[in-house]
Amino acid sequence: MGFTSAGQVDTPILSVAYEHSGPTDAVPVILLHGFPYDVRAFDEVAPLLARRNAWVVAPYLRGFGATSFRDDATPRSGQQAALGTDLVEFMDALGIDSAVLAGYDWGGRAACITAAVHPERVRGLVTVDGYNVQDIAAAHEPGKPEWEATYWYQYYFHSERGRRGLERNREELCEFLWRTWSPAWSGAAAAFPASASSLHNPDFADVVIHSYRHRYGLVDGDPRYQDLEDVLAGQPPITVPTVLLETGADGLLGPSAAGDREYFTGPYEHRLLAGIGHNAPQEAPEAFADAVASLL
């Protein structure tokens, strides 16, 4: 199981570590992990897709694994426009004109942004739990109390106590998130150690803290991404063929992904993953791979 090869490629901002499987001249599929996960989430997905004649590529996001910033002076931004730009620049660096994109959490956000803003680069999109482009202007509008309770970690990261907690207790904190966000997945605690090393990237805490502060308008973004943030503020529709996976047992509560239907104006399919939590590809690799394969 897992990927067969690893690589490192430079973009204008990052040196991106990635793993890949399958023939490099096949249809590219880019798999994008979230916080606080890494590419191990796709260890069972990758061989399923490689056997279906796809070139399967999974980068470590900024702040994770061996991905690093090329310049010490670059702000360690975790804002959504940075993630979206990283994906396009990663594709450029590998010479990928267009690909099927599939992601969840932060990775789903990067995939949705690229599909919305650069549809010519996207053959198809698999997004977990909806339209993942943040509406920062509405970030201070409260949700239902039961949803708000699950966002405690975001509010924690708004404080310096939370920053220190993430820096000092990153494994304990993130393993707790794994378990509580996937309450029906009995294997969460056992699977976590394989991804724990990725959380010790020297930029991890800075990128994470900036991400959860920027999305609430509490800190400024990196000016190089402001033009894209302005576009994303308009909540642009996604026109590419899309499979939306709704997790049926996600411990990170929020509105149903089905409520995002209006943002998808191209071919669209909604699939419910009953009993599956936040880490969809690692909990339901066959269903995740089937969704991707339907777009090949």
Side-chain angles (χ1 to χ4, degrees), residues 19 42 45-47 52 61 70 86 99 111 115-116 126 139 176 249 258 266 269 280-281 293:
E19 299 186 22
F42 303 110
V45 175
R52 301 190 196 193
L61 301 187
R70 298 179 62 193
D86 288 348
V126 175
F176 178 74
E269 182 181 358

Side-chain angles (χ1 to χ4, degrees), residues 92-166:
D92 290 344
L94 289 183
I96 297 174
D97 292 329
S98 65
V100 175
L101 306 181
Y104 68 110
D105 197 85
W106 286 23
R109 181 160 301 115
C112 282
I113 289 169
T114 303
V117 179
H118 299 287
E120 74 283 358
R121 306 296 298 270
V122 182
R123 294 170 180 252
L125 170 70
V126 175
T127 175
V128 178
D129 285 337
Y131 180 81
N132 284 312
V133 180
Q134 293 162 347
D135 185 0
I136 294 175
H140 291 288
E141 292 302 316
K144 293 183 178 181
E146 59 265 35
W147 301 344
E148 295 285 302
T150 68
Y151 303 152
W152 68 268
Y153 69 101
Q154 300 188 22
Y155 310 139
Y156 183 51
F157 293 159
H158 294 172
S159 69
E160 287 307 296
R161 178 187 178 103
R163 176 192 287 276
R164 288 192 288 272
L166 180 64

Side-chain angles (χ1 to χ4, degrees), residues 15-70:
S15 178
V16 181
Y18 67 97
E19 299 186 22
H20 61 108
S21 292
T24 57
D25 59 351
V27 176
V29 171
I30 302 178
L31 305 177
L32 298 146
H33 70 84
F35 163 85
Y37 307 96
D38 74 346
V39 304
R40 299 279 69 78
F42 303 110
D43 275 348
E44 293 186 54
V45 175
L48 294 173
L49 292 172
R51 287 198 292 268
R52 301 190 196 193
N53 198 38
W55 181 33
V56 188
V57 184
Y60 289 83
L61 301 187
R62 57 170 55 201
F64 291 80
T67 290
S68 61
F69 288 83
R70 298 179 62 193

Side-chain angles (χ1 to χ4, degrees), residues 239-260:
T239 60
V240 305
T242 297
V243 178
L244 190 153
L245 299 177
E246 180 179 356
T247 52
D250 197 327
L252 185 58
L253 294 178
S256 167
D260 290 350

